[in-house]
Amino acid sequence: MPDKPDPVTLQHALLGLLARRPLSGWEILKRFGRSVVFFWNAKRSQIYSELRRMEARGLLTSQVTVQQGRPNKRHYEITAAGEEALKGWLDRPTAVAPIKDEMLLRTFYADLLPTERAVLYLRRHGGEHRRVQEEFEGIKAQLEARHGSLSATADDALASGYLVLEQGIRYERMYAEWCEWAAAELERRGSRSRDANAAEPADFIMTS
Amino acid sequence: MPDKPDPVTLQHALLGLLARRPLSGWEILKRFGRSVVFFWNAKRSQIYSELRRMEARGLLTSQVTVQQGRPNKRHYEITAAGEEALKGWLDRPTAVAPIKDEMLLRTFYADLLPTERAVLYLRRHGGEHRRVQEEFEGIKAQLEARHGSLSATADDALASGYLVLEQGIRYERMYAEWCEWAAAELERRGSRSRDANAAEPADFIMTS
DNA sequence: TAGCTCATGTAAGCGGTTACATGATTGC
DNA sequence: GCAATCATGTAACCGCTTACATGAGCTA
């Protein structure tokens, strides 16, 4: 039994939130949607059902508050088993994640599209990344104003958040810059005619 | 009928390969594994079954070559419908993809781990990205030696490949640098005691 | 003799998305 | 009057992963 590491799922994201304090499903949803979702995407329906599954596995316990005029509220708390699962997961190295990026796939086949179109889509996409970058920078500025900068704060959870936020900013900047660069490169090459008597095009194969 | 855009799947990656020339399943597998897989990850079993599904949908046709001493080979060719599907997909803007990154999730909860451990894992992860970056740079150098640089080549398919490869290099560099930066930041903060009488930690919430 | 290349498949299961379902309260 | 907030679920579907299955020929 070479104990297989549990696959990463939403589970650990939720355990992490509940490790800080007990929360209701609804509160989890709100916090998730304002922080975790930026680097670990998940939908409402999945979060609710994952919480139930985790309770069934003994990672969480829940109790219901009866309310009138609105649905009952379910409060979740992490168990000892849940904390152990979380720490066990945290305290292991992370493999580099395989990439799945639609924009790169499209760009790889950009030669099948008229140059102007490919350039248009690259610029548009770059613009979106630029906007996200600026949004993240705005959030960073707000957080710094309210809670102090990374080097100033004594709050370790806040500091972790800053680290991740910084990655977001760098990622979006890198992506926006690449889009602009690639669009310019394509433009510079121009709409060269698909030369019928050109040499057999080399297959783009990265490793021999 | 607000014609829903087909979800992006492996399909388009395969159509793109077959748009350049007819290939057998095995050849697709090889080429895929040496180019596309770096930005659109997929497994062998999925590729084989996706090819059959696409044939059933009329995007491809196939014919079998009988071989002795080894299994028969199946040759695929893109159909007119397949080419239309590919061009239709290519000629639409791409939405920014939601992110799902285990390393960021772990870093977000890094405060639940002793500082030295978090630093260790960040450095290790950064090293892996650095290695991938260097691998990509090596591939770029080889390609340039064999086929000419991006600005020198007349081969548009090769040029598209260079664009994507460049993104890979920038991505890996950005990631490696961020890991090193984050590790240094955590180290600089030091292993401060989890201060029991510290103020209630601020929830890290990015948007108000 | 061990491992790589060639060459294809099937089946179970799971993580995740989309859509369906309900409905009072509060604020503009 | 309209939208957002509060507050939970279920069900169908599907893309993808993992594991199972086979087997000859070639090279170190």
Side-chain angles (χ1 to χ4, degrees):
Chain A
M1 265 143 272
D3 73 329
K4 232 185 309 180
D6 27 59
V8 189
T9 58
L10 184 53
Q11 198 186 144
H12 303 110
L14 299 175
L15 284 174
L17 287 179
L18 286 165
R20 295 194 174 141
R21 77 186 53 177
L23 295 164
S24 70
W26 183 254
E27 289 171 312
I28 290 172
L29 220 61
K30 294 291 109 178
R31 273 161 209 244
F32 193 95
R34 285 165 185 174
S35 56
V36 182
V37 79
F38 292 106
F39 43 88
W40 193 267
N41 188 33
K43 301 292 159 76
R44 189 179 50 78
S45 70
Q46 201 199 346
I47 291 174
Y48 275 121
S49 50
E50 187 62 28
L51 288 168
R52 313 287 329 231
R53 268 182 72 226
M54 290 165 71
E55 187 180 6
R57 285 193 211 154
L59 304 172
L60 310 175
T61 54
S62 79
Q63 57 193 90
V64 173
T65 307
V66 179
Q67 298 189 127
Q68 63 261 60
R70 62 189 51 197
N72 296 331
K73 203 184 281 202
R74 186 176 293 271
H75 297 269
Y76 287 97
E77 218 164 317
I78 194 168
T79 62
E83 271 174 4
E84 209 186 324
L86 176 60
K87 298 260 157 74
W89 170 72
L90 273 174
D91 202 2
R92 274 190 276 124
T94 317
V96 169
I99 288 170
K100 218 161 203 187
D101 185 318
E102 192 184 341
M103 191 65 204
L104 296 181
L105 189 58
R106 284 171 190 273
T107 305
F108 187 63
Y109 296 127
D111 57 298
L112 302 173
L113 211 59
T115 300
E116 345 121 49
R117 300 248 93 199
V119 167
L120 172 71
Y121 295 136
L122 276 166
R123 290 242 159 82
R124 187 180 296 193
H125 197 74
E128 278 181 58
H129 279 287
R130 190 63 79 186
R131 248 165 275 130
V132 178
Q133 181 207 324
E134 282 159 7
E135 188 197 327
F136 285 175
E137 279 169 346
I139 290 166
K140 185 184 168 191
Q142 269 179 40
L143 283 170
E144 284 178 339
R146 263 187 265 161
H147 305 290
S149 69
L150 173 57
S151 37
T153 185
D155 181 341
D156 287 337
L158 184 64
S160 301
Y162 275 130
L163 297 184
V164 173
L165 181 55
E166 177 69 23
Q167 209 270 3
I169 293 170
R170 291 179 185 215
Y171 174 78
E172 299 299 339
R173 184 189 303 131
M174 178 280 295
Y175 216 127
E177 281 170 2
W178 172 76
C179 286
E180 285 151 24
W181 170 82
E185 279 300 322
L186 279 185
E187 218 161 40
R188 211 179 41 68
R189 293 175 61 79
S191 13
R192 52 184 76 234
S193 53
R194 204 57 48 83
D195 204 348
N197 66 346
E200 179 75 355
D203 289 311
F204 185 81
I205 282 186
M206 290 173 62
T207 60
S208 52
Chain B
M1 266 146 272
D3 73 328
K4 235 187 305 182
D6 27 57
V8 188
T9 58
L10 184 53
Q11 197 186 144
H12 303 108
L14 300 175
L15 285 174
L17 286 179
L18 286 164
R20 293 189 175 145
R21 76 186 52 176
L23 295 165
S24 71
W26 183 255
E27 291 171 311
I28 290 171
L29 220 61
K30 295 290 110 178
R31 275 162 209 244
F32 193 94
R34 287 168 183 170
S35 56
V36 182
V37 78
F38 292 105
F39 43 87
W40 193 266
N41 187 32
K43 301 291 158 74
R44 190 179 50 78
S45 70
Q46 200 199 345
I47 291 174
Y48 274 122
S49 50
E50 186 63 28
L51 287 169
R52 314 282 335 227
R53 267 181 73 226
M54 289 164 73
E55 189 181 6
R57 285 193 212 153
L59 304 174
L60 310 175
T61 55
S62 79
Q63 57 192 90
V64 173
T65 307
V66 178
Q67 298 189 127
Q68 62 262 60
R70 63 188 50 197
N72 296 332
K73 203 184 282 200
R74 186 177 292 272
H75 298 269
Y76 287 97
E77 219 165 316
I78 194 168
T79 63
E83 272 174 2
E84 208 186 323
L86 176 60
K87 298 261 158 74
W89 169 72
L90 274 174
D91 202 3
R92 272 188 277 125
T94 316
V96 169
I99 289 171
K100 218 161 203 187
D101 185 317
E102 190 184 342
M103 191 64 202
L104 296 181
L105 190 57
R106 284 172 191 274
T107 305
F108 187 62
Y109 296 127
D111 56 299
L112 301 173
L113 211 59
T115 301
E116 345 122 46
R117 302 248 92 200
V119 167
L120 171 72
Y121 294 137
L122 275 166
R123 290 240 160 82
R124 186 180 295 194
H125 197 74
E128 279 181 57
H129 278 287
R130 188 65 79 188
R131 250 166 271 129
V132 177
Q133 182 208 323
E134 281 158 7
E135 189 198 328
F136 284 175
E137 279 168 348
I139 290 166
K140 185 182 168 190
Q142 271 180 38
L143 283 170
E144 284 178 339
R146 263 186 264 159
H147 305 290
S149 68
L150 172 57
S151 37
T153 184
D155 182 339
D156 287 337
L158 184 64
S160 302
Y162 275 130
L163 297 185
V164 173
L165 182 54
E166 176 69 23
Q167 209 269 3
I169 293 170
R170 291 178 184 215
Y171 174 78
E172 299 298 339
R173 183 188 303 132
M174 177 279 296
Y175 217 126
E177 282 170 1
W178 173 76
C179 286
E180 285 150 23
W181 171 82
E185 280 298 322
L186 279 185
E187 219 162 38
R188 210 178 45 65
R189 292 176 62 80
S191 16
R192 54 184 77 234
S193 54
R194 203 56 51 82
D195 204 349
N197 67 345
E200 180 74 355
D203 291 310
F204 185 81
I205 282 187
M206 291 174 63
T207 59
S208 49

